[in-house]
């Protein structure tokens, strides 16, 4: 009989001394025994191959060295040799992989597979959010990632036979930060990349300044925002760029800094105000009609100017510095598992250091002052897009003590495009009705006539803060054409106690002019402000989700 090795082990009976060569033992004659042993030996040689011990003394020694990890050749183990989920965290001992053991460029960021939606769901303490991200795990493979010079995007099909394409501009905001500028709907068969503006069908949502700023004592800083200034229109003034950084007394002991000269308009930065905990803020007192601005120090042109009317406020661009934007995604089109990963970092200078630098460098520019000043805050915003899901991570590092009076949020959104003859509805569960608007049940944007703030005191349950919001673009028959769901999702940044402690000013704010939604993430622990100590790091994780609609415009549950 032929050898069955290596599929199974062969069995050979011992031949007793009284047996003749013509006797059959275990079903084999003497000749059969010789033939079967020869087959078995050949099977072993075939399995081991030539020189099975290699450079080691024995085969056993070679196997022992392989198990110890000392006999693996360069590039001998790649992704193809490691099955999905075959190695998990529990299988990697602490300190088993160190920087010294990873060669330069051995793991380019673009080659790393990001966490799946299911993995994000496991981090969420809120069942509804967890289910949203679990559902998304099933649709990732239906999308495609795109990239051209300066622009990236993701496309995915909807259940009504259309294709949604999110286009992302890597430059374009006033301070160079990322702008998610358009979501378009295409018919199947249309050329979806590079996107056309407008698309063959129509734009369904524009997202401006997806990277939100932080409010520092009256100014929105970072992203496409800057320190607040007072603008005075003085016809016939003699000030030039040589006077930038000079000091001007405006009465009541207040000293302002000239920051910009634009035609007849002079821009003045507020005085520095000392706060508690070694922090400093702008002293927002304004400049009123008739106020005389008298030269104090630094100017080439020193004649006084008088405010002909109350000064108007504006934001000084740019007062962020060190802006970097990077995008990780392969060139061309890939499957939906490969996400677009965009990281934007920027630094906001400490306000006192910013003013001190301006005073010490008269004739300079706000950009140069910001670059030379001491960093006050460092933002790192990372956006990961999985088709209809966008995950937004924010890390905010306080290099110097900061006195806060308002909030920062990783989410903001203007309304979805209103369908012909239709409307847009906002829903934010958990609020009592306010100003006749029951946003918990849903409010049409057309009914929001004035800017409205839903504060912590407006919550139905004092212990349950706002977690998620929804927009629905309703067609003329009342069915949903497209929806947007967004909220905060990581357990250690979204606990009720954390959100309530740090969001006293508002939970949700809707601007009447643009109907833009601002859901607060955190703000000062007290209405009057509080000091955040130097070295403090804030982290948050949020999501923005365009549901794939079910037939008939029914929202998924």
């Amino acid at each position: 009989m032929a050898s069955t090795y290596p599929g199974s082990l062969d069995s050979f009976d011992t031949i007793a001394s009284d047996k003749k060569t013509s006797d059959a033992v275990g079903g084999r004659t003497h000749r059969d025994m010789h033939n079967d042993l020869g087959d078995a030996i050949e099977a072993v040689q075939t399995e081991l191959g030539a020189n099975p011990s290699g450079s080691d003394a024995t085969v056993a020694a070679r196997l022992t060295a392989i198990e110890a990890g000392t006999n693996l050749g360069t590039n001998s183990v790649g992704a193809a040799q490691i099955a999905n989920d075959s190695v998990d965290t529990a299988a990697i001992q602490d300190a088993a992989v160190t920087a010294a053991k990873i060669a330069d460029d051995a793991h380019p960021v673009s080659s790393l597979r990001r966490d799946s939606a299911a993995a994000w769901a496991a981090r969420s303490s809120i069942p509804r959010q967890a289910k949203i991200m679990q559902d998304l795990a099933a649709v990732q493979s239906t999308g495609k990632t795109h990239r051209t010079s300066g622009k990236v995007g993701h496309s995915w099909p909807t259940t009504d036979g259309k294709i949604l394409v999110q286009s992302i501009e890597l430059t374009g905001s006033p301070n160079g930060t990322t702008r998610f500028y358009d979501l378009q709907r295409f018919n199947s068969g249309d050329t979806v990349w590079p996107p056309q503006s407008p698309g063959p069908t129509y734009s369904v949502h524009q997202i401006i300044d997806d990277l939100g700023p932080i409010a520092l004592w009256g100014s929105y800083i970072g992203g496409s925002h800057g320190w607040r200034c007072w603008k005075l229109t003085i016809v016939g003034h003699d000030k030039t760029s040589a006077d930038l950084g000079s000091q001007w007394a405006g009465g009541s002991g207040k000293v302002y800094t000239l920051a910009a000269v634009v035609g007849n308009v002079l821009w003045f930065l507020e005085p520095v105000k000392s706060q508690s905990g070694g922090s400093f803020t702008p002293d927002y007192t304004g400049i009123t009609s008739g106020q005389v601005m008298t030269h104090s120090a630094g100017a080439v042109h020193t004649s006084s100017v008088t405010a002909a009317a109350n000064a108007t406020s504006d934001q000084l661009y740019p007062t962020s510095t060190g802006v970097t934007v990077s995008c990780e995604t392969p060139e061309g089109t890939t499957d939906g598992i490969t996400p677009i990963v965009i990281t934007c970092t920027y630094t906001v200078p400490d306000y006192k250091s910013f003013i001190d630098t301006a005073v010490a460098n008269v004739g300079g520019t706000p950009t140069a002052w910001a670059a030379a000043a001491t960093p006050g805050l460092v933002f790192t915003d990372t956006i990961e897009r999985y088709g209809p899901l966008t995950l937004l991570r924010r890390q905010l590092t306080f290099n110097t003590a900061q006195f806060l009076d308002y909030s920062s949020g990783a989410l903001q959104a203007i309304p979805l495009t209103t369908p012909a003859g239709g409307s847009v509805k906002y829903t934010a569960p958990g609020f009592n009705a306010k100003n006749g608007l029951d946003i918990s049940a849903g409010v049409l944007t057309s009914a929001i006539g004035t800017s409205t703030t839903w504060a912590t005191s407006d919550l139905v349950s004092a212990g349950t803060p706002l977690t998620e919001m929804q927009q629905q673009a309703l067609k003329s028959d009342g069915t949903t054409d497209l929806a947007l769901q967004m909220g905060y999702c990581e357990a250690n940044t979204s606990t009720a106690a954390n959100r309530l402690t740090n969001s006293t000013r508002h939970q949700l704010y809707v601007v009447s002019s643009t109907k833009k939604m601002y859901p607060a993430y955190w703000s000062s622990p007290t209405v009057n402000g509080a000091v955040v100590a130097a070295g403090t790091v804030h982290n948050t994780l949020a999501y923005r989700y365009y549901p794939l609609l079910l037939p008939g415009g029914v929202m998924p549950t």
Side-chain angles (χ1 to χ4, degrees):
M1 65 185 71
S3 173
T4 60
Y5 185 83
S8 62
L9 299 178
D10 296 321
S11 177
F12 297 94
D13 294 324
T14 301
I15 303 175
S17 58
D18 62 340
K19 296 296 183 181
K20 298 177 181 180
T21 57
S22 58
D23 291 337
V25 178
R28 291 185 178 95
T29 65
H30 186 79
R31 178 183 299 171
D32 292 336
M33 181 70 74
H34 278 289
N35 290 336
D36 288 350
L37 285 172
D39 289 342
I41 292 170
E42 287 180 352
V44 172
Q45 290 181 341
T46 301
E47 180 68 13
L48 293 178
N51 191 26
S53 62
S55 60
D56 296 283
T58 65
V59 173
R62 184 179 187 183
L63 293 174
T64 299
I66 291 173
E67 289 178 345
T70 58
N71 267 20
L72 298 177
T74 302
N75 298 323
S76 61
V77 179
Q81 283 76 41
I82 303 175
N84 286 343
D85 301 320
S86 63
V87 180
D88 58 17
T89 304
I92 303 174
Q93 297 181 9
D94 288 345
V97 180
T98 64
K101 295 178 182 178
I102 302 175
D104 290 344
D105 299 321
H107 60 301
V109 175
S110 60
S111 70
L112 299 180
R113 178 170 173 171
R114 296 284 167 162
D115 289 345
S116 67
W120 287 111
R123 301 180 185 181
S124 178
S125 61
I126 303 164
R128 166 65 176 164
Q129 295 169 344
K131 187 176 188 309
I132 287 173
M133 286 180 282
Q134 286 169 342
D135 291 344
L136 284 167
V139 302
Q140 286 181 3
S141 60
T142 66
K144 293 191 179 297
T145 302
H146 311 272
R147 181 170 183 175
T148 54
S149 178
K151 189 178 294 183
V152 295
H154 203 99
S155 62
W156 67 95
T158 64
T159 54
D160 61 0
K162 306 293 184 181
I163 297 174
L164 291 179
V165 178
Q166 177 72 67
S167 305
I168 306 165
E169 187 71 54
L170 296 180
T171 58
S173 291
N175 285 350
T177 53
T178 306
R179 174 170 292 187
F180 294 84
Y181 71 93
D182 204 7
L183 180 71
Q184 296 180 25
R185 175 180 281 148
F186 295 83
N187 293 310
S188 296
D190 289 336
T191 299
V192 301
W193 196 266
Q196 303 173 45
S197 184
T201 49
Y202 61 94
S203 171
V204 292
H205 199 204
Q206 293 205 350
I207 307 173
I208 301 172
D209 303 329
D210 208 352
L211 305 178
I214 182 174
L216 293 177
W217 202 247
S219 284
Y220 275 109
I221 307 299
S224 59
H225 297 267
W227 293 110
R228 194 170 75 179
C229 279
W230 294 105
K231 299 193 303 185
L232 285 180
T233 299
I234 308 291
V235 178
H237 71 76
D238 61 351
K239 309 300 179 280
T240 69
S241 60
D243 301 307
L244 299 184
S246 59
Q247 302 284 284
W248 298 80
S252 303
K254 307 292 185 181
V255 178
Y256 299 78
T257 302
L258 184 62
V261 177
V262 183
N264 290 327
V265 181
L266 304 178
W267 294 53
F268 288 95
L269 284 162
E270 283 281 3
V272 176
K273 182 177 182 178
S274 177
Q275 301 282 7
S276 59
S279 62
F280 298 90
T281 65
D283 185 1
Y284 289 117
T285 55
I287 300 174
T288 58
S289 178
Q291 188 168 318
V292 179
M293 306 295 289
T294 304
H295 177 252
S296 176
V300 175
H301 306 93
T302 60
S303 59
S304 299
V305 295
T306 302
N310 291 342
T312 57
S313 65
D314 207 336
Q315 297 182 44
L316 179 67
Y317 300 110
T319 42
S320 298
T321 187
V323 177
T324 60
V325 178
S326 64
C327 177
E328 306 162 18
T329 188
E331 295 290 341
T333 301
T334 66
D335 63 46
I337 298 300
T338 304
I340 299 167
V341 181
I342 297 174
T343 300
C344 177
T345 62
Y346 55 90
T347 300
V348 176
D350 180 81
Y351 188 71
K352 183 178 186 302
S353 179
F354 180 61
I355 296 298
D356 290 345
T357 303
V359 173
N361 294 275
V362 173
T365 65
T367 300
W369 302 335
T374 300
L377 303 169
V378 177
F379 277 58
T380 301
D381 279 337
T382 302
I383 299 96
E384 298 187 17
R385 183 173 297 281
Y386 289 87
L389 173 69
T390 300
L391 294 167
L392 304 99
R393 311 186 203 215
R394 164 167 293 179
Q395 180 170 289
L396 178 58
T397 303
F398 293 80
N399 283 349
T400 59
Q402 297 293 329
F403 192 73
L404 307 184
D405 77 322
Y406 204 40
S407 64
S408 174
L411 293 170
Q412 48 184 314
I414 61 175
L416 294 167
T417 300
T418 304
S423 58
V424 174
K425 182 172 73 172
Y426 283 176
T427 305
F431 287 113
N432 291 307
K434 186 171 186 179
N435 298 335
L437 303 174
D438 187 0
I439 200 166
S440 183
V443 172
L444 298 181
T445 56
S446 58
I448 303 175
T450 59
S451 298
T452 305
T453 299
W454 282 269
T456 303
S457 58
D458 297 313
L459 292 168
V460 173
S461 170
T464 306
L466 174 66
T467 300
E468 61 184 28
M469 298 121 279
Q470 183 185 100
Q471 292 187 16
Q472 287 177 269
L474 303 176
K475 294 184 287 190
S476 57
D477 62 1
T479 59
T480 301
D481 181 55
L482 186 70
L484 167 66
Q485 186 90 22
M486 61 184 187
Y488 296 102
C489 56
E490 195 166 29
N492 64 357
T493 59
S494 294
T495 61
N498 179 284
R499 295 290 313 289
L500 291 169
T501 298
N502 297 318
S503 298
T504 56
R505 278 294 182 95
H506 71 258
Q507 289 282 307
L508 178 66
Y509 178 61
V510 180
V511 183
S512 60
S513 58
T514 62
K515 307 301 168 68
K516 193 172 185 179
M517 301 177 76
Y518 291 92
Y521 165 61
W522 62 273
S523 68
S524 303
T526 65
V527 173
N528 293 324
V531 175
V532 177
T536 300
V537 178
H538 281 277
N539 288 284
T540 184
L541 178 66
Y543 71 92
R544 182 178 282 113
Y545 164 46
Y546 293 99
L548 298 178
L549 297 181
L550 300 176
V554 179
M555 284 290 294
T557 57

